[in-house]
Amino acid sequence: MIYLDNAATSFPKPEACFRRGLEDYLALGASPGRGGYDAAARSQARVREVRERVADFFGASGCVTCFGHNATDALNTLVLGLARPGSHVVSTRLEHNSVLRPLHHLRQTGACELDLVPFGPDGLVGSEMVAQALRPHTCLVVMTHASNVLGTVQPVEAVGRLCRERGIPLVLDISQSAGVVPIRMRDWGASALAFTGHKGLLGPTGVGGLVMEPGLEVLPSRFGGTGLDSLSLTHNLDLPERLEAGTLNLLGILTLGHCLDYLQGPLALELAQKEMELHGRLLEGLAALPGVTVDCPGSGPGRLPLVSCNLEGWDPSEAGMVLDGDYSIAVRAGLHCAPLAHQDLGHGAKGSLRVSLGRYNTQAHVDAFLRAAGAMLRGQ
Ligand SMILES: Cc1ncc(COP(=O)(O)O)c(C=O)c1O
């Protein structure tokens, strides 16, 4: 199989990191923070190390990392915990359903008003558009750092400045950008980030979380055991436990820690450079094929290595099936969980073909896709 769906989940994985994570897990054994004995304390200390590692990796030293299942989980925690009743939230039409659905739920139940800022023909959300959407009772701005449909990286620094001036927390969904482009939470003025472990961070599914400024008032929306203050029926409000009800995914957290080390090593950085070059090759190859429409084309530092396109005469889902069945090429076909982006791009209900590169793709993979697309367009 030629795997070109790294925006869904990265594949293959850095095997050595997974092996080290498993070895640590089998050696540690005890559940972090659940027991006064030495092994539980060691486990807890390792998790604390990874928390700090995550915050440093995202330019958020000194901030709090709370682990959860994935970005969806973290975004739910942040949106539900920061939106105050009777207030107003600003987001964008580029968002993934993991942002849109919790916000839609709040609007439907009358808890909050919502404005969704459009993106321009370049696939970017201008900070001036965000400024126009703000109201006196806006309590939260939440937006994707990089679009999973277009690969455009948003000018979040300008939005961060704006939010700081108005005292409004800015939450960034870094699901697609984490591990692919540098994240500088503090420099950008963001109050919190939601990340997922299994995409650009190269880790396993089932682990992700949020990084937040320690003073951010995120109210818990889930309650349960935290290993602290067990006599009380009131959920513990200390951080990170406040936002981590239940036993943590220790295996996932340990493995993610090794993946972060790997991502900062020379090999991963070299592969990232190659990935950018392949992205350019993919775009050039598609531009040379008659009958291909690429949404907001562009490559370079402001872009993720992914392309959303349509082949003339092909329904994207059918094209995806032929690429899989006849050419053993895996791409994402159809809708990519960002319904308003598809609507604004004129994709209707059919969506697009999304080709997303990863650290381990080669020129041969890109060329095989281009040859297959060319043959399909010629009706061969
Ligand atoms: C932009 C964006 N946000 C959020 C998510 C949700 O990630 P997860 O399913 O790991 O929670 C995705 C996954 O595709 C995404 O692309």
Side-chain angles (χ1 to χ4, degrees), residues 162-181:
L162 182 73
C163 288
R164 289 274 146 186
E165 281 162 20
R166 312 278 184 102
I168 301 167
L170 168 65
V171 169
L172 296 178
D173 171 6
I174 58 165
S175 299
Q176 287 295 337
S177 52
V180 181
V181 298

PDB file of all heavy atoms in Angstrom, residues 162-181:
ATOM      1  N   LEU A 162      -4.912  40.226  19.250  1.00  0.00           N
ATOM      2  CA  LEU A 162      -6.256  40.810  19.373  1.00  0.00           C
ATOM      3  C   LEU A 162      -6.960  40.309  20.641  1.00  0.00           C
ATOM      4  O   LEU A 162      -7.538  41.087  21.406  1.00  0.00           O
ATOM      5  CB  LEU A 162      -7.013  40.338  18.132  1.00  0.00           C
ATOM      6  CG  LEU A 162      -8.405  40.770  17.872  1.00  0.00           C
ATOM      7  CD1 LEU A 162      -8.350  42.230  17.454  1.00  0.00           C
ATOM      8  CD2 LEU A 162      -8.975  39.930  16.716  1.00  0.00           C
ATOM      9  N   CYS A 163      -6.881  39.003  20.856  1.00  0.00           N
ATOM     10  CA  CYS A 163      -7.559  38.400  22.012  1.00  0.00           C
ATOM     11  C   CYS A 163      -6.933  38.895  23.309  1.00  0.00           C
ATOM     12  O   CYS A 163      -7.631  39.161  24.281  1.00  0.00           O
ATOM     13  CB  CYS A 163      -7.504  36.878  21.930  1.00  0.00           C
ATOM     14  SG  CYS A 163      -8.569  36.215  20.642  1.00  0.00           S
ATOM     15  N   ARG A 164      -5.610  39.016  23.323  1.00  0.00           N
ATOM     16  CA  ARG A 164      -4.919  39.521  24.533  1.00  0.00           C
ATOM     17  C   ARG A 164      -5.418  40.929  24.857  1.00  0.00           C
ATOM     18  O   ARG A 164      -5.703  41.251  25.990  1.00  0.00           O
ATOM     19  CB  ARG A 164      -3.408  39.587  24.314  1.00  0.00           C
ATOM     20  CG  ARG A 164      -2.742  38.261  24.253  1.00  0.00           C
ATOM     21  CD  ARG A 164      -2.375  37.752  25.629  1.00  0.00           C
ATOM     22  NE  ARG A 164      -2.526  36.312  25.579  1.00  0.00           N
ATOM     23  CZ  ARG A 164      -2.410  35.490  26.605  1.00  0.00           C
ATOM     24  NH1 ARG A 164      -2.166  35.950  27.804  1.00  0.00           N
ATOM     25  NH2 ARG A 164      -2.574  34.206  26.471  1.00  0.00           N
ATOM     26  N   GLU A 165      -5.502  41.784  23.805  1.00  0.00           N
ATOM     27  CA  GLU A 165      -5.940  43.177  24.028  1.00  0.00           C
ATOM     28  C   GLU A 165      -7.325  43.219  24.661  1.00  0.00           C
ATOM     29  O   GLU A 165      -7.618  44.064  25.483  1.00  0.00           O
ATOM     30  CB  GLU A 165      -6.003  43.934  22.691  1.00  0.00           C
ATOM     31  CG  GLU A 165      -4.653  44.399  22.179  1.00  0.00           C
ATOM     32  CD  GLU A 165      -4.702  44.738  20.693  1.00  0.00           C
ATOM     33  OE1 GLU A 165      -5.811  44.981  20.137  1.00  0.00           O
ATOM     34  OE2 GLU A 165      -3.626  44.729  20.084  1.00  0.00           O
ATOM     35  N   ARG A 166      -8.173  42.257  24.237  1.00  0.00           N
ATOM     36  CA  ARG A 166      -9.560  42.265  24.740  1.00  0.00           C
ATOM     37  C   ARG A 166      -9.763  41.369  25.952  1.00  0.00           C
ATOM     38  O   ARG A 166     -10.891  41.234  26.428  1.00  0.00           O
ATOM     39  CB  ARG A 166     -10.520  41.770  23.650  1.00  0.00           C
ATOM     40  CG  ARG A 166     -10.342  42.389  22.301  1.00  0.00           C
ATOM     41  CD  ARG A 166     -11.055  43.740  22.237  1.00  0.00           C
ATOM     42  NE  ARG A 166     -10.941  44.270  20.893  1.00  0.00           N
ATOM     43  CZ  ARG A 166     -11.925  44.234  19.991  1.00  0.00           C
ATOM     44  NH1 ARG A 166     -13.072  43.727  20.297  1.00  0.00           N
ATOM     45  NH2 ARG A 166     -11.736  44.738  18.787  1.00  0.00           N
ATOM     46  N   GLY A 167      -8.728  40.661  26.357  1.00  0.00           N
ATOM     47  CA  GLY A 167      -8.856  39.763  27.521  1.00  0.00           C
ATOM     48  C   GLY A 167      -9.727  38.543  27.247  1.00  0.00           C
ATOM     49  O   GLY A 167     -10.400  38.029  28.150  1.00  0.00           O
ATOM     50  N   ILE A 168      -9.721  38.080  25.983  1.00  0.00           N
ATOM     51  CA  ILE A 168     -10.552  36.912  25.614  1.00  0.00           C
ATOM     52  C   ILE A 168      -9.626  35.714  25.390  1.00  0.00           C
ATOM     53  O   ILE A 168      -8.647  35.821  24.646  1.00  0.00           O
ATOM     54  CB  ILE A 168     -11.334  37.192  24.312  1.00  0.00           C
ATOM     55  CG1 ILE A 168     -12.233  38.408  24.491  1.00  0.00           C
ATOM     56  CG2 ILE A 168     -12.157  35.970  23.877  1.00  0.00           C
ATOM     57  CD1 ILE A 168     -12.792  38.946  23.181  1.00  0.00           C
ATOM     58  N   PRO A 169      -9.898  34.565  26.016  1.00  0.00           N
ATOM     59  CA  PRO A 169      -9.036  33.407  25.767  1.00  0.00           C
ATOM     60  C   PRO A 169      -9.107  32.928  24.310  1.00  0.00           C
ATOM     61  O   PRO A 169     -10.198  32.881  23.730  1.00  0.00           O
ATOM     62  CB  PRO A 169      -9.569  32.322  26.709  1.00  0.00           C
ATOM     63  CG  PRO A 169     -10.694  32.915  27.468  1.00  0.00           C
ATOM     64  CD  PRO A 169     -10.972  34.291  26.965  1.00  0.00           C
ATOM     65  N   LEU A 170      -7.938  32.603  23.774  1.00  0.00           N
ATOM     66  CA  LEU A 170      -7.871  32.022  22.429  1.00  0.00           C
ATOM     67  C   LEU A 170      -7.458  30.560  22.562  1.00  0.00           C
ATOM     68  O   LEU A 170      -6.407  30.251  23.139  1.00  0.00           O
ATOM     69  CB  LEU A 170      -6.832  32.769  21.588  1.00  0.00           C
ATOM     70  CG  LEU A 170      -6.438  32.103  20.259  1.00  0.00           C
ATOM     71  CD1 LEU A 170      -7.628  32.052  19.294  1.00  0.00           C
ATOM     72  CD2 LEU A 170      -5.278  32.854  19.589  1.00  0.00           C
ATOM     73  N   VAL A 171      -8.299  29.663  22.048  1.00  0.00           N
ATOM     74  CA  VAL A 171      -8.001  28.225  22.047  1.00  0.00           C
ATOM     75  C   VAL A 171      -7.674  27.819  20.618  1.00  0.00           C
ATOM     76  O   VAL A 171      -8.432  28.117  19.689  1.00  0.00           O
ATOM     77  CB  VAL A 171      -9.215  27.408  22.558  1.00  0.00           C
ATOM     78  CG1 VAL A 171      -9.006  25.927  22.312  1.00  0.00           C
ATOM     79  CG2 VAL A 171      -9.441  27.671  24.046  1.00  0.00           C
ATOM     80  N   LEU A 172      -6.549  27.132  20.438  1.00  0.00           N
ATOM     81  CA  LEU A 172      -6.153  26.682  19.097  1.00  0.00           C
ATOM     82  C   LEU A 172      -6.240  25.171  18.990  1.00  0.00           C
ATOM     83  O   LEU A 172      -5.761  24.448  19.883  1.00  0.00           O
ATOM     84  CB  LEU A 172      -4.718  27.114  18.798  1.00  0.00           C
ATOM     85  CG  LEU A 172      -4.457  28.613  18.719  1.00  0.00           C
ATOM     86  CD1 LEU A 172      -2.975  28.872  18.467  1.00  0.00           C
ATOM     87  CD2 LEU A 172      -5.301  29.251  17.617  1.00  0.00           C
ATOM     88  N   ASP A 173      -6.838  24.720  17.898  1.00  0.00           N
ATOM     89  CA  ASP A 173      -6.863  23.292  17.574  1.00  0.00           C
ATOM     90  C   ASP A 173      -5.613  23.014  16.730  1.00  0.00           C
ATOM     91  O   ASP A 173      -5.542  23.419  15.569  1.00  0.00           O
ATOM     92  CB  ASP A 173      -8.157  23.009  16.779  1.00  0.00           C
ATOM     93  CG  ASP A 173      -8.176  21.600  16.199  1.00  0.00           C
ATOM     94  OD1 ASP A 173      -7.262  20.802  16.498  1.00  0.00           O
ATOM     95  OD2 ASP A 173      -9.126  21.304  15.437  1.00  0.00           O
ATOM     96  N   ILE A 174      -4.628  22.347  17.349  1.00  0.00           N
ATOM     97  CA  ILE A 174      -3.371  22.105  16.615  1.00  0.00           C
ATOM     98  C   ILE A 174      -3.280  20.645  16.141  1.00  0.00           C
ATOM     99  O   ILE A 174      -2.185  20.124  15.928  1.00  0.00           O
ATOM    100  CB  ILE A 174      -2.130  22.484  17.464  1.00  0.00           C
ATOM    101  CG1 ILE A 174      -2.086  21.714  18.794  1.00  0.00           C
ATOM    102  CG2 ILE A 174      -2.086  23.979  17.711  1.00  0.00           C
ATOM    103  CD1 ILE A 174      -0.728  21.767  19.474  1.00  0.00           C
ATOM    104  N   SER A 175      -4.441  20.019  15.956  1.00  0.00           N
ATOM    105  CA  SER A 175      -4.462  18.602  15.546  1.00  0.00           C
ATOM    106  C   SER A 175      -3.598  18.339  14.324  1.00  0.00           C
ATOM    107  O   SER A 175      -2.876  17.354  14.256  1.00  0.00           O
ATOM    108  CB  SER A 175      -5.886  18.164  15.194  1.00  0.00           C
ATOM    109  OG  SER A 175      -6.695  18.301  16.299  1.00  0.00           O
ATOM    110  N   GLN A 176      -3.717  19.217  13.322  1.00  0.00           N
ATOM    111  CA  GLN A 176      -3.008  18.965  12.064  1.00  0.00           C
ATOM    112  C   GLN A 176      -1.589  19.514  12.071  1.00  0.00           C
ATOM    113  O   GLN A 176      -0.716  18.980  11.393  1.00  0.00           O
ATOM    114  CB  GLN A 176      -3.779  19.582  10.885  1.00  0.00           C
ATOM    115  CG  GLN A 176      -5.047  18.841  10.509  1.00  0.00           C
ATOM    116  CD  GLN A 176      -4.780  17.434   9.990  1.00  0.00           C
ATOM    117  OE1 GLN A 176      -3.692  17.111   9.512  1.00  0.00           O
ATOM    118  NE2 GLN A 176      -5.769  16.565  10.098  1.00  0.00           N
ATOM    119  N   SER A 177      -1.355  20.577  12.815  1.00  0.00           N
ATOM    120  CA  SER A 177      -0.044  21.233  12.730  1.00  0.00           C
ATOM    121  C   SER A 177       0.980  20.668  13.711  1.00  0.00           C
ATOM    122  O   SER A 177       2.184  20.745  13.453  1.00  0.00           O
ATOM    123  CB  SER A 177      -0.205  22.743  12.946  1.00  0.00           C
ATOM    124  OG  SER A 177      -0.936  22.992  14.131  1.00  0.00           O
ATOM    125  N   ALA A 178       0.522  20.098  14.823  1.00  0.00           N
ATOM    126  CA  ALA A 178       1.459  19.619  15.849  1.00  0.00           C
ATOM    127  C   ALA A 178       2.400  18.575  15.259  1.00  0.00           C
ATOM    128  O   ALA A 178       1.955  17.588  14.667  1.00  0.00           O
ATOM    129  CB  ALA A 178       0.690  19.018  17.022  1.00  0.00           C
ATOM    130  N   GLY A 179       3.684  18.802  15.418  1.00  0.00           N
ATOM    131  CA  GLY A 179       4.677  17.859  14.891  1.00  0.00           C
ATOM    132  C   GLY A 179       5.030  18.135  13.440  1.00  0.00           C
ATOM    133  O   GLY A 179       5.969  17.545  12.905  1.00  0.00           O
ATOM    134  N   VAL A 180       4.269  19.020  12.795  1.00  0.00           N
ATOM    135  CA  VAL A 180       4.513  19.314  11.369  1.00  0.00           C
ATOM    136  C   VAL A 180       5.095  20.714  11.210  1.00  0.00           C
ATOM    137  O   VAL A 180       6.041  20.913  10.453  1.00  0.00           O
ATOM    138  CB  VAL A 180       3.199  19.168  10.551  1.00  0.00           C
ATOM    139  CG1 VAL A 180       3.440  19.442   9.078  1.00  0.00           C
ATOM    140  CG2 VAL A 180       2.593  17.784  10.752  1.00  0.00           C
ATOM    141  N   VAL A 181       4.520  21.683  11.914  1.00  0.00           N
ATOM    142  CA  VAL A 181       5.109  23.035  11.921  1.00  0.00           C
ATOM    143  C   VAL A 181       5.356  23.424  13.387  1.00  0.00           C
ATOM    144  O   VAL A 181       4.664  22.925  14.279  1.00  0.00           O
ATOM    145  CB  VAL A 181       4.184  24.084  11.226  1.00  0.00           C
ATOM    146  CG1 VAL A 181       3.971  23.749   9.771  1.00  0.00           C
ATOM    147  CG2 VAL A 181       2.847  24.204  11.927  1.00  0.00           C
TER     148      VAL A 181
END
